Amino acid sequence: MEHRIVGPGPYRATRLWNETVELFRAKMPLRKHRCRFKSYEHCFTAAEAVDWLHELLRCSQNFGPEVTRKQTVQLLKKFLKNHVIEDIKGKWGEEDFEDNRHLYRFPPSSPLKPYPKKPPNQKDVIKFPEWNDLPPGTSQENIPVRPVVMNSEMWYKRHSIAIGEVPACRLVHRRQLTEANVEEIWKSMTLSYLQKILGLDSLEEVLDVKLVNSKFIIHNVYSVSKQGVVILDDKSKLPHWVLSAMKCLANWPNCSDLKQPMYLGFEKDVFKTIADYYGHLKEPLLTFHLFDAFVSVLGLLQKEKVAVEAFQICCLLLPPENRRKLQLLMRMMARICLNKEMPPLCDGFGTRTLMVQTFSRCILCSKDEVDLDELLAARLVTFLMDNYQEILKVPLALQTSIEERVAHLRRVQIKYPGADMDITLSAPSFCRQISPEEFEYQRSYGSQEPLAALLEEVITDAKLSNKEKKKKLKQKSYPEVYQERFPTPESAALLFPEKPKPKPQLLMWALKKPFQPFQRTRSFRM
């Protein structure tokens, strides 16, 4: 049961749906079942489907072990509604799927979700002020100059320019950046940073760029408290009683604190109050139009650092009201999960599972009711809980680069004479097509004259010895040129006479007799 990893990109939810459907149809075990004195071939029970699909989703890197059996049943209900599976009698759509022994089968053909097509939008190219941009109707000469009070330092600078020690220069005043220009810079650089992290060619299929509000980005960066939580101008956006309830659970003290009301079930009532408020929001905290962007980031969870950076950028695009509610909610959820003194808030679920199931839908949800909403939202909320402190921080690298860009555009440039002059280039030359015969003629004879001139230059060079001249002539490389200059061996010998070879000297040992072995002789002495 291998599930391919679906990476970031457009329509990731649709691709996950198609991948899960194909794998479910291909790998789900089918066998013969008997129901009401009748046998059915190639079918499965609802409980078998839940068991198999639940194990598949838990082992998949696209979903993870946080998937519950209840969520698997919800997904199979959507399978039945979309005719991925059908009742053993061929019914589907209006039928309800339950975790029981009811029989189901696969239809002959399973329709996969088509990828939605968005109309191509023209990309609005944002033009930032350049060095020499001036307001319309003005020129460099007409820029008003403030009179300069001469002092010794200024006199020395002008004197240095006059005698040539320092080249004369001029100040180029660029157009003043308006508030709208700064907002467009924040928007464009933030989106470019997000596009680079996701590795996409365009963000058009992931989010509608026109709906991104640059004022939200700037507010989320600069209007924050010491704890990093967004400060709202209108404090009524988050009711005081909800904020008090969240603080109560986030900072739940031990039993020794007498100020804490301790009637039985108090913490459950407080938690229910918070859950009811967040459950009745008009849209999820991550907004409808950013759904595809956050789902695309889910494909990067294998690279935790990259995924955190991508979530940081996406959360900057949120309205300040949504970002503040998300920050406070995630901090409360994380503290409740880590607080061992907190009484159980639900008898049937653990604290962590309860947090994910209660708030996942109010955090991430699609307006078009995507079939994998619950599974994707649960995976995202789990990752947010584990990394909320880093994700809900302002990305320092992005903030620094944008501030440096704005400061750079506001600076005055110093230009020296000739630095801003256009270089006069010669007119471009064009190639003329020639025939194959002309090409062969140029290839054969076009280089003969330069080679002949080079040959004469080598011959007449008095600094080179005859040995070096022969080495440079390369007789074997250009035989035609060499043959034309030296048609006979005698003509080459006149320029390069060969030295007479010395006679070999006779060796003295050659005149001696060959070596004879020593022979013992008998002594004549008696």
Side-chain angles (χ1 to χ4, degrees):
M1 294 188 300
E2 295 182 359
H3 208 301
R4 292 177 296 180
I5 299 178
V6 179
Y11 317 120
R12 185 173 185 267
T14 305
R15 290 186 286 134
L16 279 174
W17 169 269
N18 292 341
E19 172 71 15
T20 307
V21 168
E22 289 179 352
L23 198 58
F24 181 55
R25 285 177 56 89
K27 300 291 185 177
M28 176 65 199
L30 305 177
R31 62 187 180 89
K32 181 179 179 180
H33 288 80
R34 189 174 181 82
C35 180
R36 295 182 181 180
F37 307 103
K38 189 176 181 180
S39 297
Y40 298 91
E41 300 285 346
H42 307 293
C43 59
F44 52 88
T45 65
E48 291 173 349
V50 175
D51 292 338
W52 191 90
L53 187 58
H54 185 215
E55 184 64 22
L56 172 70
L57 297 176
R58 285 174 54 85
C59 297
S60 170
Q61 296 182 358
N62 295 317
F63 300 101
E66 299 292 337
V67 179
T68 62
R69 189 176 183 87
K70 182 180 178 181
Q71 292 172 335
T72 307
V73 173
Q74 295 296 325
L75 180 58
L76 284 168
K77 286 184 178 182
K78 294 176 181 179
F79 278 0
L80 181 61
K81 181 180 178 181
N82 290 273
H83 204 196
V84 176
I85 60 176
E86 63 182 12
D87 181 81
I88 197 63
K89 298 180 181 179
K91 298 178 181 180
W92 60 277
E94 301 298 331
E95 300 294 322
D96 192 18
F97 184 93
E98 296 181 1
D99 191 355
N100 52 25
R101 301 293 299 174
H102 196 75
L103 294 180
Y104 292 91
R105 67 186 182 188
F106 291 119
S109 61
S110 177
L112 299 179
K113 292 284 185 180
Y115 297 106
K117 295 182 179 180
K118 293 184 178 181
N121 299 325
Q122 293 183 353
K123 298 181 181 179
D124 298 330
V125 181
I126 302 174
K127 184 179 183 302
F128 299 113
E130 298 296 337
W131 283 110
N132 298 324
D133 285 353
L134 297 173
T138 61
S139 61
Q140 186 66 35
E141 290 75 13
N142 297 330
I143 295 179
V145 181
R146 182 181 299 177
V148 181
V149 180
M150 292 294 295
N151 52 29
S152 59
E153 184 179 359
M154 290 295 298
W155 184 90
Y156 176 76
K157 288 183 178 180
R158 292 195 175 185
H159 178 69
S160 301
I161 294 173
I163 63 178
E165 293 181 2
V166 180
C169 61
R170 63 186 177 91
L171 299 180
V172 179
H173 296 268
R174 58 183 68 187
R175 186 177 58 193
Q176 185 178 3
L177 287 180
T178 63
E179 184 178 354
N181 295 139
V182 176
E183 291 176 358
E184 289 299 324
I185 293 173
W186 271 93
K187 178 179 177 179
S188 63
M189 292 189 67
T190 302
L191 294 179
S192 299
Y193 200 75
L194 176 61
Q195 179 179 340
K196 181 180 179 181
I197 293 178
L198 295 179
L200 303 177
D201 297 331
S202 174
L203 291 176
E204 291 183 355
E205 296 179 344
V206 174
L207 59 87
D208 191 350
V209 179
K210 295 181 180 179
L211 297 179
V212 176
N213 194 327
S214 56
K215 294 182 182 294
F216 292 167
I217 303 175
I218 298 176
H219 187 99
N220 292 334
V221 171
Y222 294 108
S223 300
V224 295
S225 64
K226 294 180 179 180
Q227 292 76 24
V229 181
V230 176
I231 300 174
L232 299 179
D233 299 330
D234 186 3
K235 296 183 179 180
S236 63
K237 295 293 184 181
L238 183 62
H240 179 71
W241 56 271
V242 178
L243 185 60
S244 300
M246 296 177 69
K247 287 183 178 179
C248 177
L249 291 184
N251 304 316
W252 186 268
N254 53 27
C255 300
S256 61
D257 191 350
L258 300 178
K259 296 181 180 180
Q260 180 70 37
M262 296 304 299
Y263 70 84
L264 187 63
F266 171 76
E267 66 283 348
K268 295 182 180 179
D269 293 341
V270 176
F271 180 76
K272 186 177 183 301
T273 300
I274 300 171
D276 289 342
Y277 172 78
Y278 277 92
H280 288 84
L281 296 176
K282 294 182 179 180
E283 70 170 356
L285 295 179
L286 301 184
T287 69
F288 288 134
H289 79 275
L290 290 177
F291 174 81
D292 290 329
F294 279 99
V295 171
S296 296
V297 180
L298 288 177
L300 299 172
L301 293 189
Q302 302 302 320
K303 304 175 182 178
E304 182 176 334
K305 185 177 179 181
V306 180
V308 169
E309 293 181 3
F311 276 127
Q312 285 180 338
I313 305 300
C314 290
C315 290
L316 277 184
L317 308 180
L318 296 173
E321 176 187 352
N322 292 35
R323 182 177 172 89
R324 176 178 172 82
K325 291 180 180 178
L326 181 65
Q327 287 174 319
L328 296 176
L329 178 61
M330 297 310 303
R331 185 173 65 178
M332 182 201 73
M333 293 169 60
R335 289 187 177 183
I336 289 176
C337 293
L338 296 176
N339 190 357
K340 297 181 180 179
E341 301 293 336
M342 174 67 69
L345 298 175
C346 181
D347 298 333
F349 299 99
T351 304
R352 183 181 177 88
T353 304
L354 178 64
M355 294 294 125
V356 174
Q357 291 192 0
T358 303
F359 297 107
S360 60
R361 192 165 185 82
C362 71
I363 292 177
L364 181 69
C365 180
S366 173
K367 189 175 183 180
D368 300 327
E369 190 66 27
V370 176
D371 300 300
L372 294 176
D373 273 1
E374 295 182 6
L375 297 179
L376 297 177
R379 186 162 174 78
L380 182 139
V381 172
T382 303
F383 190 79
L384 281 177
M385 287 177 54
D386 296 336
N387 304 275
Y388 81 98
Q389 292 182 339
E390 291 296 326
I391 290 176
L392 296 176
K393 282 183 179 179
V394 176
L396 185 60
L398 174 65
Q399 181 182 356
T400 303
S401 60
I402 295 178
E403 290 176 349
E404 290 179 352
R405 171 67 176 171
V406 174
H408 174 73
L409 292 174
R410 284 174 173 167
R411 291 193 191 104
V412 177
Q413 184 193 19
I414 301 177
K415 284 195 173 183
Y416 293 94
D420 55 348
M421 297 177 60
D422 295 333
I423 302 176
T424 305
L425 300 177
S426 58
S429 58
F430 300 92
C431 299
R432 179 178 62 87
Q433 187 176 4
I434 60 176
S435 62
E437 294 78 11
E438 187 176 357
F439 170 74
E440 290 296 332
Y441 177 79
Q442 292 182 3
R443 186 177 66 85
S444 303
Y445 302 100
S447 60
Q448 301 296 321
E449 294 181 2
L451 289 175
L454 180 61
L455 178 62
E456 292 295 334
E457 184 179 350
V458 173
I459 293 174
T460 57
D461 192 350
K463 297 180 180 180
L464 298 176
S465 63
N466 290 340
K467 183 178 181 181
E468 292 175 340
K469 289 181 180 180
K470 286 184 178 181
K471 187 177 180 180
K472 288 182 175 296
L473 288 180
K474 297 182 179 180
Q475 177 180 358
K476 295 182 179 180
S477 300
Y478 307 101
E480 299 87 358
V481 180
Y482 193 87
Q483 184 67 25
E484 185 177 356
R485 179 61 178 84
F486 304 107
T488 59
E490 291 78 9
S491 58
L494 293 175
L495 290 176
F496 308 113
E498 296 183 358
K499 294 182 179 180
K501 296 181 179 180
K503 294 181 179 181
Q505 297 180 358
L506 296 177
L507 299 178
M508 295 302 296
W509 60 271
L511 299 177
K512 296 181 179 180
K513 293 181 179 179
F515 176 76
Q516 296 179 355
F518 177 76
Q519 297 180 355
R520 289 180 176 268
T521 57
R522 185 176 180 180
S523 177
F524 292 99
R525 293 182 181 181
M526 297 302 294

